[in-house]
Amino acid sequence: MSNPDPPAASADIPAIAATALTRRFGRAWAVRDLTFAVPPRSVLLVVGPNGSGKTTLLRLLATALRPTSGKATVFGHDVVAHAEMVRAQVAFVSATPGVYDSLTARENLQFAAAMCGRRFEPMTLWLERVGLAGLGEHPVRTFSQGMKRRLALARAWLAVPSVLILDEPYNGLDAEGVRLVHTMVTETTQRGGCAVVATQEWERGRRIADGVLVLSGGRLADHAPAAHFAAHILTMAGSHP
Amino acid sequence: MRGQTFLGAIALGLLAAGAYVGLVASPPDAFQGEYVRIMYAHVPNAWVAYVAFAITCVASALYLAKRTPVYDYIAHSATELGVVFTGLALVTGSIWGRPVWGTWWTWDARLVTTAVLFFIYLGALLVRGLADDPRRGARLAAVVSIVGFLDVPVIHYSVVWFRTLHQPASLTRGDIKIAPPMLAALLLGLLAFTVLFAYLLTLRIRLARAEDAGEAA
Amino acid sequence: MTTIDRVAAVTSKELLLEWRGRQTATAMGMVALLVILFLGVVLGSEPARAPAVLWVAMGFATVLGIPRLTQAEVEQQALETLLLYPGSREHIYWGKFLALVVMLTALLAFLWALVGVLFNIPIWTHLPALIGIGVLGVIGLAAIGTLLAGVVLHVRARELLMPLLLLPLALPVVLGCVRLTEAALAGRGEGMWLVVLGVFGLTALLVCPILFEVVMEEP
Amino acid sequence: MGWIALAYGIVLITLTTYVLVLRRRLRDATRARGTPTQHSSVR
């Protein structure tokens, strides 16, 4: 069951569609009534102050969290009813890399590859693509945050996903690391897939963003093409409580 | 509220009648003398505890299948009641054993199984309380309750066979031939406790529902 | 066939993690050694006691070893990634189950060597029977243990809960193995306990993977 | 004779306290629902 290729990029099926998506933790509304759609071949940038619900939204789309109400679909598959189909198409890199420290870089990737049904590919290729060439045999414990981040990105990249979901990908990355993220994103969108990137670093994010979703207090403050936002985005996002 | 107190009143009446028959109206036992009266307090507790755990297991399975909160309220309430009544069964069991057999604790299969049940369901309650998310806590408690209930018959028979090698099945609870009047006292006690259990269960379920509503308001 | 790949991947990852750190193995071995020595001193070391001492030590060591099975996922926040791989979560159960079976088998072999010496039991003459019993015992403990390793993942006070959850549930395994071992050492058969352990192991292997998926469900 | 009293006493006391605790918690819970709820932390 290798990854199904993304469906032909017919415009009618949105890559991602959310309708009144809501998630509550006890009494607090983390995300409330989000309705938006992301066409294939595009990158959605999710911005907003801390606690605005960015991470919760991403985890809902990646099926890591179950919505309290409302619906979300990835290439037509419901994130709750067809969770396994969604997981087969989505690669999610969370804010914490979540790699096994006492395993080496190569072993981490080999495990991820086997779990995605891609056991027999050479890992050296992926290590080189994320700038970790030659570090395959080093235990990840010795890696810096930036290097662990690159390994986590390689782990998502080798799954050749139709949907790439990145939570604060730029954390700890140098300039070359940022280019790596953008290569991954554009490669995914060119294949007909889409990417969702949540970040505070508007300067870096806007270069690849097609659409921007502004969250504030778990609600949709704004959703428009990137060009529309240009420079003043930071002030607006920051102004909401 | 009216139905609730009505049930409570019936339970109270039956308990009083049961106590009266158990303590006064029924004859002492040939072998145990007056101490047989403790049996009327011990057996109903154990019976209700097993009923509670059967309800817990069914409600837990339904909750996992259907995920409707009401099944979780029932499972949670039945587990808590089960732990209370198992505790009482163990205490009254050992109080009964002390004068009649001279020991607080006999390794009789039924007592051991009841004790094991107490810990399994205490575990289920703790798992529910210590989980990081209330909904997940309910699911984990359901899993523990189901495994626990499936395990009870195996535990019971393994304890029975494990002990019989050393000590013949000791004469506790139902084994002794019960004279009719004593049987009446016992059955009245069982009925009274069953109605009491129904009353407590409905009360506890309403509490669980109210607390959940309060939590998620 | 990706199912076998995925199960094998989880098992080899678990064993690799364990081999690198070796904490769990040493911890389990240490606890079992201490329990056996302690009981041996206290209860006296005539051979008749050996089966009980061995399987009690096995039970306690398993209690210690199981939370560590999911420790790596918790400490390095790797659980979310593990659960988001495509494919059923049952594969994760079977992967961790087999890893636990390997670890418990190694532990049992170590314990038999120890008990053989301390209680001077001629284990070689009864080896096939002891191996058979060991298989039943290890599968029973591992089946329940892997499910409970999943349960305690999302719970505070993990070390307190594991004994409270595992020991009552695994009681039939310990009792069964003690009686079967005593029978094996005395050379007579014990059909009934084989049935008990067989039923226990079978139901556990059928029920636990399904419940594991429920336990691993996202909140 | 003391044992019998002890057994019945323990059962009586435990169950009555349990019922009283349940009834009080129920009253608190139903009354609490009216009060405004505080904002717990958002992940």
Side-chain angles (χ1 to χ4, degrees), chain A residues 100 102-103 107 111, chain C residues 6-26 28 65 68-70 72-73 92 94-107 138 142:
Chain A
Y100 296 104
S102 43
L103 297 187
E107 282 158 355
F111 176 63
Chain C
R6 283 165 51 80
V7 172
V10 172
T11 308
S12 40
K13 180 214 65 164
E14 289 296 331
L15 291 176
L16 202 55
L17 271 176
E18 184 40 43
W19 181 252
R20 289 279 154 70
R22 283 205 206 76
Q23 289 133 350
T24 321
T26 28
M28 288 167 86
R68 306 192 63 76
L69 200 61
T70 47
E73 265 81 37
I92 301 174
W94 291 116
K96 286 182 182 282
F97 168 77
L98 291 174
L100 188 56
V101 164
V102 167
M103 283 162 61
L104 290 182
T105 314
L107 177 69
V138 160

Side-chain angles (χ1 to χ4, degrees), chain B residues 67 130 136 139 151 162, chain C residues 154 156 169 179 200 217:
Chain B
R67 296 302 161 87
L130 292 169
R136 198 203 296 266
R139 270 206 322 270
D151 215 5
F162 194 82
Chain C
H154 314 288
R156 298 190 301 278
L169 292 175
R179 277 293 177 266
F200 184 91
E217 233 173 78

